[in-house]
Amino acid sequence: MAYAESPIGISLKPQHYSEILHDRPQIGWFELHPENYMSEGGESHRVLSAIADRYPLSFHSVGLSLGRAEGPDLTHLERLDRLCSDYDPCRVSDHLAWTSSGGTFFNDLLPFPYTQASLETFCNAVDLVQTRLGRRILVENPSQYAALDESEMAESDFLNALTRRSGCGLLLDLNNIYVCSQNLGFDPTTYLDAIDLSQVGEVHLAGHTCSEWMGRKILIDDHGSEVCSEVWSLFADLLNRIGPVSTLIEWDTDVPSLERLLQEAEKAQSYVRVCVAGGELRALAS
Amino acid sequence: MPSLAEYQATWRDALLTQDRDDSEFAAVSPALAIHKNNFLFATREALASVFGTVSALVGEEFFAAMAKAFIIAEPPTSPVILDYGSGFPGFIANFPPAGTLPYLSDIAVFEWDLHQVALAADAQALEPSFFSAQAVETLLSLELALIPGARIFQSKFAVVDIWRAHKSVPVDLTSLGPIDVASRALMVRNDGLLSVISLTKGEKFFLDALNNGEDLGTATAIALDGDPAYDILESNRKLAATRCFQLRE
């Protein structure tokens, strides 16, 4: 792999295909939603084959619906397995959420209450997926817009139990932690204190939007803007705690130029450089 | 406390309810209201990316309302959202507010077909030189099929012209002729390039016959029968050049 030495990756977007193939930007890896490559053929496969020859890929699925009562989507798991065989991604992840149930795909990451019963369901789902794919997967902490009254335990406790019992890793989305902290009212650094950081296999940095619902300010993780200063601070905090880790600049809506994405990636890289040099990162965050 | 299955059944019902007052809904469960908004927005965007001409013809607001009604009536069944939308043309045909645009549904069929051609399995098409190298008697008995990345389209409206007019930047509708003129086209993808080629009546008969399993000689006879103006040599040359054929297995 040509640029595997850099831990920073960016989202792979169709509008950047030709520029990436032509310019071969210096970036550690590309993230993609495998669902967008589950066609039988076409341009996206031709491009992905060429990109996979030059860069590592991280498959970030939204389709397994690991948190649903009826168990994960097995049809989708088979398709994901085939795509993994075709492109050999370096990491495979999905979300602490459910996206389909009762035969309908809801095209969003839906929350569920954190209980002993849902933990059991989720562990079984992860176990099934890891067995079928023959690899460890990562599970991402979600954005929450309101607390669910039915939850019996904190999200960090749920995730710690999940990684311990199923052997999966964590995909830590720092923007989601920040969004949750603002929507639910807690200090985001306490989340880093509570979660088992030794299980983190990938980190996501993204932008969010501030919206108003019924007179209440709510942050929505639309991945449609640059990373905010508070999330950069969390990134610095995390690097101080665990050192460099594969990190994604995630940008899915209002996708900017490749140049702009690479600038954000370079900013993340500069944090990593300071971290590797043993520097104190908090100063950079402002 | 509800079980996980009960909890998710409640959410499913709420997400798929059409006629709830959104503000009332948000007061009861802000999280559910936001996720419902996310679901409808992301899915509508997916439809808009496939049905761009439909959206341009009716305007963003109308498209949003029509898409919402469709999403609730026929929601996605698979996480592969690329596959979502096959029912949209049929839904549009029976969507009363779109009744004043009788051609709208055919535009949607056209855009869906084009989307399918773009995503179809890759295949090596027969080169024009393959045909010119054959003896006439071999040619006549050839059993051909369209490659997966090729489709035939037909409408009693000028759908292809309307679609083409919306591809120009800026959109130029001044050159459009009458709307109720039939259109026939072949869509084909080769080497990453998608082409839409207008067909004569005879060419459409010819390709349909091949698709129905006739050999090349019989298909030619059917084309001549249906369209006395069918120019065999010219159409053979034109269709071979599109590289839309493979040998039938």
Side-chain angles (χ1 to χ4, degrees):
Chain A
M1 297 298 178
Y3 309 115
E5 69 273 13
S6 167
I8 311 299
I10 58 173
S11 302
L12 179 61
K13 296 293 164 196
Q15 48 269 61
H16 301 148
Y17 280 168
S18 55
E19 216 177 334
I20 291 166
L21 291 178
H22 185 263
D23 297 348
R24 303 191 184 193
Q26 292 278 336
I27 190 77
W29 50 280
F30 282 101
E31 172 255 16
L32 58 93
H33 295 305
E35 290 75 20
N36 293 340
Y37 295 85
M38 288 183 179
S39 60
E40 287 194 49
E43 178 70 356
S44 57
H45 282 288
R46 191 183 65 79
V47 171
L48 190 58
S49 299
I51 289 178
D53 285 344
R54 296 169 196 169
Y55 300 92
L57 301 176
S58 180
F59 278 10
H60 191 39
S61 173
V62 294
L64 291 170
S65 204
L66 298 169
R68 70 181 189 182
E70 61 259 52
D73 183 338
L74 297 181
T75 307
H76 195 61
L77 178 58
E78 290 307 312
R79 294 179 85 168
L80 182 60
D81 185 47
R82 278 200 297 279
L83 206 69
C84 286
S85 303
D86 289 346
Y87 293 104
D88 192 24
C90 62
R91 289 181 297 281
V92 176
S93 55
D94 206 311
H95 301 77
L96 188 66
W98 58 292
T99 50
S100 65
S101 175
T104 299
F105 174 65
F106 290 104
N107 209 3
D108 191 32
L109 304 165
L110 302 169
F112 62 92
Y114 301 135
T115 65
Q116 282 303 333
S118 64
L119 177 62
E120 197 72 32
T121 300
F122 211 97
C123 284
N124 288 340
V126 168
D127 189 45
L128 210 153
V129 169
Q130 293 188 140
T131 303
R132 183 67 190 89
L133 297 181
R135 60 159 76 217
R136 184 190 199 214
I137 64 164
L138 307 177
V139 173
E140 177 180 339
N141 60 299
S143 276
Q144 305 270 9
Y145 304 121
L148 300 180
D149 296 337
E150 297 87 347
S151 284
E152 292 167 355
M153 62 179 103
E155 185 174 289
S156 49
D157 292 337
F158 189 96
L159 280 169
N160 288 342
L162 173 68
T163 54
R164 196 170 55 242
R165 284 176 51 177
S166 72
C168 74
L170 279 178
L171 194 166
L172 201 62
D173 188 313
L174 297 178
N175 180 56
N176 286 353
I177 294 176
Y178 179 70
V179 163
C180 289
S181 77
Q182 296 300 295
N183 290 341
L184 310 183
F186 64 86
D187 174 354
T189 60
T190 61
Y191 195 99
L192 296 185
D193 295 338
I195 201 96
D196 181 359
L197 295 176
S198 70
Q199 301 305 315
V200 175
E202 186 174 320
V203 166
H204 283 188
L205 303 174
H208 54 259
T209 185
C210 187
S211 190
E212 200 177 294
W213 278 84
M214 304 304 290
R216 198 182 129 207
K217 189 185 105 171
I218 288 192
L219 301 190
I220 300 192
D221 70 321
D222 64 345
H223 302 169
S225 53
E226 60 188 22
V227 179
C228 75
S229 60
E230 291 87 349
V231 171
W232 283 117
S233 292
L234 277 179
F235 185 47
D237 189 350
L238 181 76
L239 288 176
N240 284 332
R241 295 177 194 232
I242 64 171
V245 54
S246 292
T247 299
L248 173 72
I249 300 294
E250 194 178 27
W251 207 317
D252 294 317
T253 53
D254 289 331
V255 176
S257 67
L258 180 62
E259 189 187 1
R260 180 76 196 84
L261 260 185
L262 291 170
Q263 279 169 6
E264 281 285 274
E266 175 51 33
K267 185 169 176 182
Q269 185 67 51
S270 67
Y271 276 68
V272 170
R273 273 196 295 272
V274 174
C275 177
V276 170
E280 172 58 51
L281 271 165
R282 277 167 229 279
L284 251 181
S286 59
Chain B
M1 178 156 61
S3 70
L4 186 60
E6 289 163 346
Y7 176 86
Q8 288 170 340
T10 306
W11 271 62
R12 278 201 312 263
D13 291 346
L15 290 165
L16 294 174
T17 302
Q18 174 85 279
D19 299 311
R20 196 188 285 255
D21 181 320
D22 281 346
S23 58
E24 218 177 278
F25 194 39
V28 178
S29 173
L32 190 44
I34 292 169
H35 284 291
K36 184 169 184 175
N37 189 54
N38 288 351
F39 162 47
L40 294 173
F41 177 79
T43 311
R44 183 180 82 213
E45 289 289 293
L47 288 173
S49 72
V50 176
F51 301 99
T53 308
V54 171
S55 177
L57 282 167
V58 298
E60 227 171 270
E61 204 178 323
F62 188 99
F63 186 84
M66 185 162 70
K68 181 179 176 183
F70 171 66
I71 293 163
I72 299 288
E74 298 176 40
T77 56
S78 153
V80 183
I81 211 75
L82 289 172
D83 294 339
Y84 180 60
S86 64
F88 199 40
F91 182 85
I92 292 173
N94 296 301
F95 187 62
T100 53
L101 304 175
Y103 52 87
L104 194 64
S105 167
D106 281 8
I107 302 267
V109 170
F110 180 88
E111 294 196 292
W112 180 255
D113 282 355
L114 210 55
H115 181 60
Q116 296 308 297
V117 166
L119 301 176
D122 301 307
Q124 190 62 50
L126 295 170
E127 296 294 331
S129 57
F130 168 85
F131 296 98
S132 50
Q134 310 295 321
V136 174
E137 51 274 27
T138 319
L139 267 181
L140 290 176
S141 59
L142 270 181
E143 303 224 327
L144 299 175
L146 293 178
I147 57 170
R151 282 199 179 202
I152 307 160
F153 174 81
Q154 173 170 250
S155 167
K156 60 182 179 179
F157 299 107
V159 165
V160 179
D161 289 344
I162 296 172
W163 173 78
R164 281 220 173 92
H166 283 83
K167 287 287 127 190
S168 59
V169 181
V171 173
D172 177 18
L173 304 179
T174 54
S175 60
L176 271 180
I179 209 92
D180 52 351
V181 172
S183 50
R184 302 168 211 91
L186 168 71
M187 307 167 178
V188 59
R189 191 193 83 226
N190 271 308
D191 306 326
L193 209 67
L194 234 165
S195 320
V196 176
I197 298 134
S198 292
L199 298 175
T200 65
K201 206 166 145 193
E203 288 162 354
K204 168 76 168 53
F205 276 119
F206 175 77
L207 291 174
D208 281 343
L210 286 181
N211 247 3
N212 290 336
E214 305 293 355
D215 63 36
L216 200 141
T218 312
T220 305
I222 291 173
L224 270 172
D225 196 40
D227 178 9
Y230 186 60
D231 183 334
I232 301 175
L233 285 180
E234 169 58 21
S235 291
N236 281 353
R237 188 198 54 73
K238 168 182 161 185
L239 294 175
T242 66
R243 294 159 73 219
C244 69
F245 297 115
Q246 60 185 9
L247 292 174
R248 193 180 308 138
E249 285 168 12

